[in-house]
Amino acid sequence: MDSQTSQPSPASPSPHTFQVDLRGLVDLLSRHLYSSPKVYLRELLQNAVDAITARRAEQPGAPATVRLRAEGGTLHVEDSGIGLTESDVHGLLATIGRSSKRDDGLEAARSDFLGQFGIGLLACFVVAERIRVVSRSARTPDAPPVEWTAADDGSYTVRTLPHSARPEPGTTVHLEARAGAGEWLGAERVRSLAREFGALLPYDVRVGDEPIADLPAPWDRAYPSPATRRVALARHCHELFGFTPLDSIDLDVPLAGVRGVAYVLPSAVSPAQRASHRVHLKGMLLTERAEQLLPDWAFFVRCVLDTDSLRPTASRESLYEDDTLAAVREALGERIRSWLTGLAAGDPERLAAFLSVHHLGVKSLARHDPEMLRTMLPWLPFETTDGRLSLEEFAQRHPVVHFTRTVEEYRQVAPIASAQGVGVVNGGYTYDSELVEALPSVRPGTVVSELDADTVTAHLDLVDPAEELALSAFLAAARARLDPLGCDVVLRAFHPLSVPALHLDDRAARHEQARAEAEEQADDLWAGILGSLRGSAPRARLVLNHLNPLIRRIGSLDDPDLIGTATESLYGQALLMAQRPLRPADSALLNRAFIGLLEWATHTDPGKDDRR
């Protein structure tokens, strides 16, 4: 057997390490991750606070101080935290994405820290071209202080310092402003940002000699009386949000680690408007624009709170959507719901003042919450033929609660139904028809019925058969004129007498009308398809009021053309009274009827001039 010459195996490719363009990364952070350069100060405060938290976990009595000094385009931030050794500096400060919270067995305790992503210090390059960190470790007291100096081109140096350079454990960060960013390191700007981000921090944080913390939080302070507390919280709301609230709602949810307050807006807002709330994470301001914190129906409040259970996103400017946030959202919604229930039970005047502004939000909640609907039933206002009433009061007055689904339908029938003693609720406004339909579920025995043209017509008085027979020619001419418009003509007697005619239809009639119009304009294929969809719904109808003097005079006409013109005029006037949108055919009819009446009024017969 011939021996085979072995072929050398291809060499294994050598691994390479990703190269990071620091300037490109900083540009990415400033343009896409962070909303403003101001977050650099939050990151510095956060690192300082986390370092103190880490040291106190090992040395409970350790000092807890943060000092900021801004001068001449530089900023110095010194903390009494855990500090770093030389190996820590190489492993943490020089490795992008590495967080100290993952090291030294602290992973299980990460909930005690503000930052968890290991990119915070990079935010400083948004405003600084050079960062110098001097640190001494509290874990390794014998280790010398270490200095880490980095430039925005990605280069850095590390050197050890004599013990005298930093006698005590802790860290000092020195920033030198980049060109055009000096204002961000100015003393007044630093003081303002420190107050904004750190007002609720639990440690001794100062800018120069001035403390920035304002503890306890306004909602946790002791006040001489409830009235004094309301005034103080109203002042706090005005300072934060720029408005004086109708009321304030405590948001104390211990199981969710949430403490705060919700302020009720003094004016109505659109339900579609996304509310922005202020959220502090363990005392540090996380965001002023948290949108997903409350249920959608709670759009009538703005809240500020502190939490230790919610997770921030990588930018730490919004909340991470997870099961915890969903549970907190539900708990806060329940707290606002309890506040409403409490007002209904014990403070009807404040509840009435609230509902006069924000009834839409409560209706949004009540349509999905039978208990809230039952509680708010005596208070929620609805437009009805009896005036503005609650559904509870309206149902007590009427054995059947009729309602319309659109404002136009309500305007059609409201005057007539009221005169006939038929109670109707306008369900055309947001959520109203849903709440009326839900009424029997919380008020057993209540009969709810959607009002249609047949119901209205049934409540109008019939005309004496002999009188209607005498008007048969007039009615035939009127029906012939409106038949192309898909409208019937009927004669009834009803109040008020001032209404000569009433146009009635419902959604089924309008749907059939639209189908017929589309069929008329379609080609043969589509006309056949639309024709197969022809429904059996009743057509719209023009109800003429036999009690009205004008109708009686028009009924005595014997000229078919003049009867047709008068009928078209009555039809157009009834549409306008109902405030219904006019179709092109309706507009053309109105113009034709107007011109026809003018021609009739100005027509002169030479043989009859002597009688004019």
Side-chain angles (χ1 to χ4, degrees):
M1 182 175 179
D2 295 333
S3 62
Q4 297 181 356
T5 303
S6 61
Q7 299 295 325
S9 60
S12 300
S14 58
H16 298 276
T17 302
F18 281 105
Q19 302 299 310
V20 177
D21 180 352
L22 185 60
R23 284 178 176 165
L25 184 57
V26 170
D27 182 69
L28 179 67
L29 293 175
S30 62
R31 292 179 183 272
H32 300 287
L33 185 62
Y34 297 124
S35 63
S36 166
K38 71 180 183 180
V39 298
Y40 88 91
L41 191 66
R42 183 194 64 198
E43 300 297 335
L44 288 174
L45 285 174
Q46 173 186 288
N47 287 342
V49 170
D50 283 345
I52 293 172
T53 301
R55 184 177 179 184
R56 283 203 156 183
E58 300 179 8
Q59 304 172 12
T65 61
V66 182
R67 298 291 182 265
L68 297 89
R69 290 182 291 109
E71 54 188 6
T74 63
L75 175 64
H76 312 279
V77 181
E78 181 178 4
D79 67 69
S80 60
I82 195 70
L84 302 171
T85 63
E86 183 176 358
S87 61
D88 292 334
V89 165
H90 285 290
L92 300 175
L93 298 186
T95 305
I96 295 172
R98 185 83 177 274
S99 173
S100 62
K101 271 67 78 178
R102 297 184 178 93
D103 287 0
D104 300 311
L106 292 177
E107 176 68 25
R110 286 176 67 194
S111 62
D112 293 333
F113 297 94
L114 300 175
Q116 301 176 7
F117 297 93
I119 59 175
L121 198 59
L122 285 179
C124 295
F125 281 118
V126 174
V127 298
E129 64 178 3
R130 175 182 158 95
I131 302 174
R132 185 166 69 94
V133 178
V134 177
S135 186
R136 182 169 182 174
S137 175
R139 288 199 185 104
T140 314
D142 296 335
V146 61
E147 178 189 72
W148 177 83
T149 304
D152 62 358
D153 62 1
S155 63
Y156 72 92
T157 60
V158 178
R159 66 185 180 118
T160 58
L161 302 175
H163 286 282
S164 60
R166 185 169 183 97
E168 299 296 330
T171 301
T172 303
V173 179
H174 306 266
L175 302 187
E176 295 180 12
R178 64 168 57 249
E183 63 169 315
W184 291 104
L185 272 63
E188 285 302 319
R189 178 61 67 90
V190 169
R191 183 177 295 106
S192 173
L193 293 179
R195 286 174 179 160
E196 178 181 349
F197 289 117
L200 299 183
L201 288 175
Y203 301 138
D204 180 11
V205 183
R206 297 172 183 258
V207 178
D209 296 326
E210 182 179 342
I212 66 165
D214 186 21
L215 295 175
W219 50 85
D220 284 332
R221 295 174 190 168
Y223 296 95
S225 66
T228 305
R229 186 175 191 273
R230 281 197 297 270
V231 170
L233 289 179
R235 186 183 307 113
H236 177 246
C237 175
H238 196 274
E239 292 172 356
L240 284 186
F241 298 113
F243 65 85
T244 300
L246 282 178
D247 205 349
S248 57
I249 308 168
D250 286 328
L251 301 178
D252 184 7
V253 188
L255 292 178
V258 171
R259 287 283 297 162
V261 62
Y263 294 115
V264 181
L265 291 165
S267 56
V269 294
S270 167
Q273 179 177 328
R274 299 296 294 180
S276 296
H277 310 289
R278 291 175 64 95
V279 178
H280 296 255
L281 180 60
K282 303 178 185 70
M284 180 74 73
L285 178 65
L286 181 71
T287 179
E288 300 173 273
R289 299 184 299 275
E291 295 183 347
Q292 69 273 48
L293 189 63
L294 296 180
D296 290 341
W297 55 261
F299 56 83
F300 49 83
V301 299
R302 298 289 180 270
C303 70
V304 53
L305 55 83
D306 188 25
T307 176
D308 59 17
S309 64
L310 299 180
R311 292 174 56 195
T313 59
S315 67
R316 289 183 287 280
E317 294 188 302
S318 59
L319 298 171
Y320 187 80
E321 184 68 51
D322 58 9
D323 292 342
T324 302
L325 179 57
V328 168
R329 183 163 49 234
E330 183 177 349
L332 295 180
E334 181 58 38
R335 185 65 193 86
I336 297 173
R337 185 185 289 106
S338 298
W339 169 78
L340 283 171
T341 304
L343 286 187
D347 201 338
E349 290 186 3
R350 286 171 66 197
L351 178 63
F354 167 76
L355 289 178
S356 67
V357 179
H358 295 299
H359 58 273
L360 199 58
V362 179
K363 286 180 177 180
S364 174
L365 170 60
R367 65 194 175 121
H368 297 304
D369 188 334
E371 188 58 38
M372 180 55 62
L373 177 58
R374 186 178 291 106
T375 300
M376 292 290 111
L377 205 56
W379 308 102
L380 289 174
F382 289 78
E383 182 179 0
T384 78
T385 48
D386 291 355
R388 199 159 181 81
L389 299 175
S390 70
L391 287 182
E392 175 68 28
E393 186 175 357
F394 188 81
Q396 290 174 357
R397 297 184 181 185
H398 298 278
V400 178
V401 178
H402 294 287
F403 73 99
T404 63
R405 292 193 182 274
T406 68
V407 174
E408 290 79 9
E409 290 173 351
Y410 177 80
R411 288 170 177 166
Q412 278 183 288
V413 302
I416 309 303
S418 179
Q420 305 304 125
V422 179
V424 184
V425 178
N426 184 354
Y429 296 114
T430 307
Y431 310 134
D432 282 10
S433 61
E434 297 174 72
L435 293 176
V436 175
E437 289 181 296
L439 189 56
S441 67
V442 297
R443 196 177 188 274
T446 303
V447 179
V448 172
S449 175
E450 182 177 355
L451 190 68
D452 56 22
D454 285 337
T455 302
V456 177
T457 305
H459 280 83
L460 304 181
D461 294 334
L462 295 172
V463 177
D464 182 86
E467 294 186 32
E468 186 167 1
L469 182 62
L471 295 171
S472 58
F474 161 74
L475 293 174
R479 288 167 181 150
R481 183 59 65 96
L482 295 187
D483 184 68
L485 295 174
C487 183
D488 291 332
V489 177
V490 296
L491 188 66
R492 292 290 187 273
F494 56 88
H495 293 273
L497 301 181
S498 58
V499 177
L502 176 66
H503 181 269
L504 294 177
D505 65 358
D506 51 30
R507 285 179 299 161
R510 288 195 295 275
H511 176 75
E512 174 62 19
Q513 191 176 61
R515 187 211 58 78
E517 290 177 355
E519 179 183 358
E520 184 177 335
Q521 299 173 9
D523 57 28
D524 292 342
L525 173 62
W526 282 108
I529 295 174
L530 291 169
S532 67
L533 300 176
R534 182 179 293 110
S536 59
R539 304 201 304 170
R541 65 198 68 175
L542 182 68
V543 184
L544 302 180
N545 187 0
H546 187 57
L547 301 180
N548 181 268
L550 176 61
I551 296 298
R552 288 181 174 272
R553 288 196 296 271
I554 294 175
S556 64
L557 298 174
D558 55 10
D559 184 343
D561 289 335
L562 185 55
I563 291 174
T565 300
T567 302
E568 288 179 338
S569 300
L570 291 169
Y571 174 83
Q573 188 263 354
L575 286 180
L576 294 175
M577 289 295 294
Q579 300 183 42
R580 290 288 305 279
L582 298 180
R583 300 169 298 160
D586 297 329
S587 299
L589 175 143
L590 281 171
N591 290 332
R592 183 171 64 249
F594 179 71
I595 296 299
L597 288 176
L598 284 179
E599 289 180 348
W600 176 78
T602 58
H603 176 70
T604 57
D605 185 343
K608 300 180 180 179
D609 280 352
D610 58 327
R611 290 183 295 173
R612 298 184 67 86

